[in-house]
Amino acid sequence: PRSTLFPYTTLFRSGDEVCGIVTADGREFTGPVILATGHSARDVYYMLHENGVELESKGIAIGVRLEHPQQLIDSIQYHNPEGRGKYLPAAEYSFVTQVKGRGVYSFCMCPGGEVVCAASEGGGVVVNGMSRFARDGSNANAALLVGVGPEDFGSDHPLAGVELQRRMEQAAYRAAIAAGGAAYQAPAQTVGDFLAGRAGGASAKVRPTYARGVAWCDLRQCLPGFAADAIAEALPLLDRRLHGFADEDAVMTGVETRSSSPVRIVRDDALQARVEGAPDDAPESGLYPCGEGAGYAGGIMSAACDGLRVARVLADAFESR
């Protein structure tokens, strides 16, 4: 039997064993299948669940992108009101704090960078960040994230984390539209307005870099209450370490939901996916999930290392035949 993996590729199986793939042009490739789709290939998660592959929820982090003038970050980090001067690089920062037992931290800090569009589904808004090689943009940005566990997902279904992400992304889309924005503009709010609990308006110091534009509104419309409360409590604490960090004109753009996978594809000792209900003496599944999409990595380097582990296991298996 065949099961859809992508609109362009199918798996074919014999019982509980994955025997290969069929490509869009009809070519068949037999042998083990490496599944390295990345953590936003939601169609893959649902396909695997429907086909009895064991999945489990895992913790993620959710939040916003926080944008400051790069000159402000330079002055804070270099302890110089004039900023970094002519020869120093654009300054970076990294932090983690705890509020009410929940971690709040920076992620993917982009000096001289920009906030980018990262949605992969219609009717949702997702933000991420990047820096170009020169790091010479006028703004600095980083994710400001709150740790979330499976107990926060509202269900024990293995895909409940995906549904939490989706609800937030769709809420962000609706919030921007309700505030008068165009489709796929992002909801945004200044730190001062967020802490004061008002929707407010545009920043006097920061011009948002999100390419599709932003709509000024209350980000609590698209953040779970516990996450919004954690961010509100963390910002003054972070400002004590980096004086000026909670500047009232810094801009928060939402939502960032894709920092890691909310799903782990359960693997056995041979790094192969497990099929629910398969007997203990069933043949190995032949499906090797790896990287961030499999839930065994949290970034570029760790995903590469996990891919190397899978490649080594496969190489050893072929060598022993």
Side-chain angles (χ1 to χ4, degrees):
R2 295 179 179 180
S3 57
T4 300
L5 178 59
F6 300 113
Y8 316 108
T9 308
T10 54
L11 295 174
F12 63 90
R13 297 166 42 187
S14 173
D16 297 319
E17 183 181 3
V18 174
C19 303
I21 63 171
V22 182
T23 61
D25 58 6
R27 291 179 297 163
E28 295 190 1
F29 296 87
T30 58
V33 175
I34 299 174
L35 189 65
T37 58
H39 64 49
S40 291
R42 292 171 174 172
D43 54 346
V44 174
Y45 294 143
Y46 283 91
M47 179 278 296
L48 293 175
H49 181 65
E50 290 169 1
N51 283 272
V53 174
E54 288 190 37
L55 308 175
E56 61 186 16
S57 293
K58 61 177 285 292
I60 55 173
I62 58 175
V64 297
R65 275 277 147 181
L66 183 57
E67 255 184 310
H68 297 88
Q70 182 63 51
Q71 195 277 338
L72 174 63
I73 300 302
D74 293 341
S75 65
I76 292 172
Q77 294 295 70
Y78 289 127
H79 305 283
N80 179 6
E82 301 302 319
R84 66 179 181 270
K86 185 176 180 180
Y87 299 105
L88 293 173
E92 304 179 41
Y93 60 80
S94 176
F95 59 75
V96 61
T97 190
Q98 290 277 327
V99 293
K100 293 184 174 64
R102 198 179 288 274
V104 180
Y105 63 97
S106 64
F107 177 77
C108 185
M109 197 274 154
C110 304
E114 57 200 83
V115 178
V116 298
C117 315
S120 60
E121 294 181 341
V125 170
V126 185
V127 296
N128 206 324
M130 60 167 279
S131 295
R132 299 182 189 275
F133 179 78
R135 297 185 168 188
D136 58 357
S138 58
N139 291 354
N141 79 80
L144 179 59
L145 299 180
V146 179
V148 179
E151 66 276 8
D152 299 307
F153 294 164
S155 168
D156 59 2
H157 192 281
L159 298 173
V162 172
E163 294 304 319
L164 172 65
Q165 292 175 321
R166 184 173 281 148
R167 289 195 299 272
M168 290 179 60
E169 294 159 14
Q170 293 173 351
Y173 181 91
R174 293 193 301 268
I177 295 290
Y184 299 102
Q185 287 192 333
Q189 189 175 22
T190 65
V191 166
D193 288 337
F194 179 77
L195 294 177
R198 58 178 181 257
S203 170
K205 298 179 183 176
V206 178
R207 181 179 180 181
T209 56
Y210 186 77
R212 300 190 72 93
V214 303
W216 301 99
C217 60
D218 185 355
L219 285 172
R220 287 182 178 270
Q221 296 176 60
C222 44
L223 290 170
F226 67 83
D229 291 344
I231 291 172
E233 188 172 343
L235 280 166
L237 297 177
L238 298 171
D239 194 72
R240 295 175 194 170
R241 301 186 201 173
L242 304 171
H243 185 63
F245 186 81
D247 185 279
E248 64 178 13
D249 279 303
V251 172
M252 303 165 63
T253 307
V255 286
E256 177 137 353
T257 54
R258 308 287 187 92
S259 60
S260 62
S261 171
V263 179
R264 180 174 289 115
I265 304 170
V266 179
R267 301 190 302 203
D268 59 21
D269 292 342
L271 304 187
Q272 297 181 59
R274 289 177 12 198
V275 179
E276 293 177 353
D280 292 338
D281 59 351
E284 295 176 328
S285 71
L287 184 64
Y288 291 80
C290 67
E292 289 202 67
Y296 293 93
I300 296 170
M301 292 302 296
S302 57
C305 291
D306 194 59
L308 287 171
R309 288 183 65 206
V310 168
R312 186 167 295 161
V313 166
L314 271 168
D316 291 344
F318 280 115
E319 187 176 352
S320 64
R321 289 183 179 181

